[in-house]
Amino acid sequence: MAARIPAEERLTNLVVALMATEIGLTKQQILDNVSGYRQRAHAGVRADALEKMFERDKDELRTLGVPVETIGDQADPNDLREARYRIPQAEYDLPGDIEFTPAELAVLQLAGSVWSAESASGDAKAGVRKIRALGIDGDEPIIGFAPRITARDAAFAPLQDAIEKSRVVTFDYLKPGEDASRRRSIRPLALVDYEARWHVFGVDVDIEEDRMFLLSRIVGDVRITATTFDAALREGAGERALRGLQDVAAQNSALLEVTPGTEASLRLGRRARPAPTQGILVPFVDLHILADEIASYGPEVRVVEPAALRDAVVHRLRAVVDTNAEIGATR
């Protein structure tokens, strides 16, 4: 089984490797030598799956502002068949006359570890990357308490603002299988990241009961009202919400057969456990979200059970086939 190297660690290793070379590294050199790819290659993961992972990582670094250069053949720069990759150190390093005390580094590292990706400004992200490029770690006990936050949903920022101000919010919410969204009004108590998806936990004002909402199903803008609520309601809300999601996942699992060495095996394997007789068991909170993910892998995954999940995946795949057929007929 491939070693479980976290994605963040793999990206860091890739940055270090690309900064350490002047002439650049080929894709094969990266896959063979950089920790995070090397372990998976040794475990027998297919080359095309590793190459897909590298392309995603490279795009992610560029999105974050890391200047990954692609160098073609010297005789023909446009020939990228043997392309080499590097990060020009001069564009990445901090100026030589800037120094930080250990305490300052600890505080900067702590602040940078809380907000990642879209949650921080471009300048802040660039600053954090340059600080890490110094090769000096902050105080580990402090860093260990820092949460990691990646906000990809437009509803995240206004909901966080409402939680901090203890304000009631309203938004339109579209549940799977329904044709129209419904207006919801809640006292937002906590934002919870579970299985790489954000949920807002709060009290539904109309029924006075706790409810959980997936941010990706919020339609349109979140409106922060002038109505306030007791801030004490927020105490322990995040822990209650997380326990609730974990309880749901513990009661629901999908039995899947996955083609070894594929992207599906890389992604699903991280949160699965071996099934007693065949395949893997993947716990899930939302059947529709899991169906979307499985359908995206195409023939790499087969759903054994539950039947409702299998039907949902088949429905999605048939919809793709029908759409492609309609496009082909109009050409």
Side-chain angles (χ1 to χ4, degrees):
M1 180 176 289
R4 302 294 186 185
I5 304 296
E8 294 85 355
E9 182 178 341
R10 186 179 69 245
L11 287 172
T12 300
N13 295 335
L14 179 58
V15 169
V16 171
L18 296 182
M19 287 181 62
T21 174
E22 286 292 331
I23 64 172
L25 299 172
T26 65
K27 184 183 298 184
Q28 193 59 52
Q29 287 174 324
I30 292 169
L31 300 182
D32 289 343
N33 296 286
V34 175
S35 179
Y37 305 102
R38 183 182 66 248
Q39 290 85 349
R40 294 184 181 278
H42 290 171
V45 174
R46 288 189 344 201
D48 58 342
L50 289 173
E51 290 182 3
K52 286 181 182 179
M53 177 185 290
F54 168 69
E55 293 299 328
R56 288 195 303 271
D57 289 348
K58 179 161 57 70
D59 291 341
E60 178 73 9
L61 290 178
R62 285 172 172 163
T63 300
L64 292 172
V66 178
V68 179
E69 282 189 349
T70 303
I71 307 171
D73 185 87
Q74 290 185 349
D76 182 6
N78 294 321
D79 184 359
L80 299 180
R81 287 175 296 179
E82 293 297 326
R84 308 179 78 87
Y85 304 91
R86 71 174 184 179
I87 296 173
Q89 194 162 345
E91 296 183 25
Y92 196 87
D93 285 350
L94 284 170
D97 58 349
I98 294 181
E99 295 182 357
F100 297 104
T101 67
E104 289 171 333
L105 281 168
V107 172
L108 289 169
Q109 184 94 355
L110 174 61
S113 64
V114 174
W115 295 101
S116 65
E118 291 84 354
S119 303
S121 69
D123 289 342
K125 288 181 286 188
V128 170
R129 290 192 302 274
K130 291 180 179 180
I131 289 165
R132 289 173 177 166
L134 290 172
I136 305 173
D137 292 327
D139 182 62
E140 281 301 324
I142 295 178
I143 302 306
F145 286 102
R148 296 196 60 79
I149 300 175
T150 302
R152 298 181 182 273
D153 298 286
F156 183 94
L159 285 171
Q160 182 192 40
D161 188 32
I163 291 171
E164 292 174 352
K165 296 177 179 177
S166 300
R167 296 282 188 88
V168 171
V169 298
T170 62
F171 51 79
D172 292 330
Y173 193 75
L174 182 62
K175 294 178 64 175
E178 296 185 354
D179 296 328
S181 60
R182 293 174 51 200
R183 176 61 55 89
R184 312 303 290 262
S185 178
I186 70 168
R187 302 183 189 101
L189 305 180
L191 285 162
V192 181
D193 181 19
Y194 190 77
E195 292 184 349
R197 293 177 178 85
W198 282 102
H199 304 73
V200 60
F201 173 72
V203 179
D204 189 312
V205 173
D206 295 327
I207 59 177
E208 290 297 331
E209 292 183 3
D210 291 349
R211 286 291 184 269
M212 189 89 68
F213 300 92
L214 191 66
L215 265 60
S216 61
R217 290 187 179 143
I218 293 178
V219 181
D221 297 331
V222 174
R223 188 175 72 87
I224 303 176
T225 72
T227 305
T228 62
F229 58 87
D230 187 355
L233 292 175
R234 305 200 307 258
E235 295 180 6
E239 290 77 6
R240 297 203 315 274
L242 186 58
R243 284 197 301 270
L245 290 169
Q246 291 171 338
D247 289 344
V248 172
Q251 298 170 15
N252 297 281
S253 61
L255 178 58
L256 309 176
E257 291 183 344
V258 184
T259 303
T262 60
E263 181 180 4
S265 69
L266 294 177
R267 292 179 176 271
L268 293 171
R270 289 182 297 184
R271 60 182 193 269
R273 67 181 188 276
T277 56
Q278 65 178 125
I280 58 174
L281 289 170
V282 178
F284 65 91
V285 170
D286 190 297
L287 182 144
H288 299 279
I289 290 176
L290 184 58
D292 289 340
E293 179 182 3
I294 292 174
S296 72
Y297 299 131
E300 296 178 3
V301 184
R302 187 177 78 87
V303 179
V304 180
E305 57 183 35
L309 176 63
R310 183 172 60 247
D311 293 343
V313 173
V314 170
H315 175 76
R316 285 159 173 76
L317 293 175
R318 284 177 175 167
V320 172
V321 172
D322 293 342
T323 300
N324 288 334
E326 291 177 1
I327 294 175
T330 59
R331 289 179 178 175

